[in-house]
Amino acid sequence: MTARPLRFGALTASLALLAGCVSPTAGPSGLYAAPIGNAPVTANPTPYSAALYCLADYARRYNLPSPRIAVGRISDYTGTVSADGGRQVTGGASLMAYSALAKAGARIVERFDTSVSELELRYANNKLIGEPAGAEESQYRRILAGQVPGSDFYIVGGITEVNYNIRSAGFDAGMGEVDTNRGGSGVITGKVFVMNIAMDLRLVQTTSLEVVDVISYQKQIIGREVSAGVFDFLNGNVFDVSAGQGGFEPVQLAVRAMIERATVEMMANLYGAPGPEACLNAANDPLGTVGPTGGYYAAYPNTDSNNGQTRADPSRWHDRRDGDVRRSRY
């Protein structure tokens, strides 16, 4: 038997072995194949999560009350669609805002999805929801005036920009022999491109509908790809080997980072925190440096003296760029 049939038989056996991982008949466990991957569930922080936790500790340390805050629609207004037909940008920005507010220790009231509460109120109004047996009063749930607390502020806004290929660069280099019998050829390529995404949020006082805070942020996102390959004829056989590596910064994680950065700025204003200095240890009393933004609610005529100008600093509240926030984590 020649070497070529042996190599063909070995290749066939290898392919059959790989195909054996999937069976057309379900096994005793009820599965055709065992799922791959065993990564555990982990937290999903951004560089500004530490600052949110820091603000929550700051409020607890000085007994600063939080207003009741609701979250409205934070929609995707870009209209971008991915290649597979789905949305390019997440539609769950409002849910991310809930998580950010919770990290900052805010009091949250539900206004985004009240379908269950409204249904229960209708049931209770029709005396369809009973109380536990043996209750001293009526056996059905009563509806009391004022039992639902109102919100003091609510956050709304949207994702307003997605800009592709702000800047890109790449190279493609190849080398080979003219005579294919004397040597092979090789190629190496590399690509880098940058896009960005932007968001506009506003904080509205519920009772007056006055917009008391507006924040607009953008974040750039980078992608890169490097690959190399070798093509050669050797003793009548053809070899084509290639390898590569690529990565794209998660777009949806960039949305979460912008929401957390905006939330930490809004909550710092509501708590009266001077800025990242509030994250220093308790020995340095940050209340001594609180300026006109100090107080329970945002001071409405303080746009000239609040923390609006410092919001443009990309290092502010960043856990790896702002030393105050980094020290507050321990």
Side-chain angles (χ1 to χ4, degrees):
M1 182 178 292
T2 63
R4 180 168 296 181
L6 286 176
R7 286 196 296 268
F8 180 77
L11 178 60
T12 304
S14 300
L15 294 176
L17 182 62
L18 291 175
C21 299
V22 180
S23 171
T25 304
S29 62
L31 302 176
Y32 292 107
I36 65 173
N38 59 355
V41 175
T42 63
N44 192 23
T46 75
Y48 305 101
S49 298
L52 290 169
Y53 291 125
C54 166
L55 279 179
D57 293 338
Y58 173 83
R60 284 192 293 267
R61 183 187 309 147
Y62 296 102
N63 196 26
L64 299 175
S66 164
R68 287 188 292 264
I69 302 178
V71 179
R73 289 192 301 270
I74 304 178
S75 305
D76 171 25
Y77 293 104
T78 64
T80 56
V81 180
S82 63
D84 58 2
R87 287 278 185 166
Q88 183 74 26
V89 183
T90 177
S94 296
L95 308 183
M96 296 179 183
Y98 273 107
S99 299
L101 288 170
K103 292 177 182 179
R107 298 172 63 192
I108 308 172
V109 292
E110 179 61 55
R111 295 294 185 270
F112 187 71
D113 186 356
T114 59
S115 57
V116 175
S117 297
E118 292 172 357
L119 182 62
E120 293 247 339
L121 284 173
R122 287 201 298 269
Y123 282 175
N125 188 49
N126 294 326
K127 300 181 180 181
L128 296 177
I129 297 181
E131 292 293 349
E136 296 181 359
E137 300 182 4
S138 60
Q139 298 299 311
Y140 56 87
R141 180 183 296 177
R142 295 188 301 168
I143 300 176
L144 304 177
Q147 69 181 22
V148 178
S151 65
D152 300 308
F153 297 94
Y154 64 90
I155 298 175
V156 287
I159 302 165
T160 50
E161 292 184 42
V162 174
N163 302 304
Y164 296 97
N165 203 8
I166 295 176
R167 185 66 62 87
S168 62
F171 64 88
D172 189 339
M175 182 183 68
E177 294 285 346
V178 177
D179 187 354
T180 57
N181 293 324
R182 295 180 57 186
S185 61
V187 62
I188 181 171
T189 61
K191 299 177 183 178
V192 177
F193 59 94
V194 178
M195 62 175 287
N196 84 326
I197 187 169
M199 172 180 292
D200 293 82
L201 297 179
R202 59 192 185 274
L203 182 68
V204 185
Q205 189 185 32
T206 306
T207 54
S208 66
L209 295 183
E210 184 176 5
V211 178
V212 299
D213 205 347
V214 176
I215 291 180
S216 178
Y217 280 141
Q218 70 89 31
K219 187 182 187 309
Q220 291 192 347
I221 301 166
I222 189 170
R224 61 179 180 268
E225 179 181 352
V226 178
S227 62
V230 176
F231 182 81
D232 191 13
F233 290 91
L234 183 61
N235 296 329
N237 299 312
V238 178
F239 294 90
D240 189 354
V241 182
S242 61
Q245 184 180 21
F248 189 77
E249 187 177 353
V251 175
Q252 320 309 342
L253 189 59
V255 175
R256 185 183 296 274
M258 287 191 295
I259 289 177
E260 291 201 350
R261 171 66 188 274
T263 301
V264 75
E265 296 289 0
M266 289 179 177
M267 291 305 299
N269 203 21
L270 293 175
Y271 284 143
E277 310 91 89
C279 293
L280 293 171
N281 56 49
N284 301 323
D285 188 356
L287 293 180
T289 59
V290 174
T293 57
Y296 182 21
Y297 295 135
Y300 308 136
N302 69 346
T303 53
D304 295 332
S305 56
N306 67 4
N307 60 337
Q309 294 180 351
T310 63
R311 292 174 178 178
D313 179 9
S315 297
R316 178 180 169 93
W317 297 109
H318 195 291
D319 63 355
R320 295 185 180 180
R321 297 180 178 179
D322 194 318
D324 295 331
V325 173
R326 185 163 57 249
R327 282 193 291 271
S328 73
R329 299 177 64 184
Y330 304 100

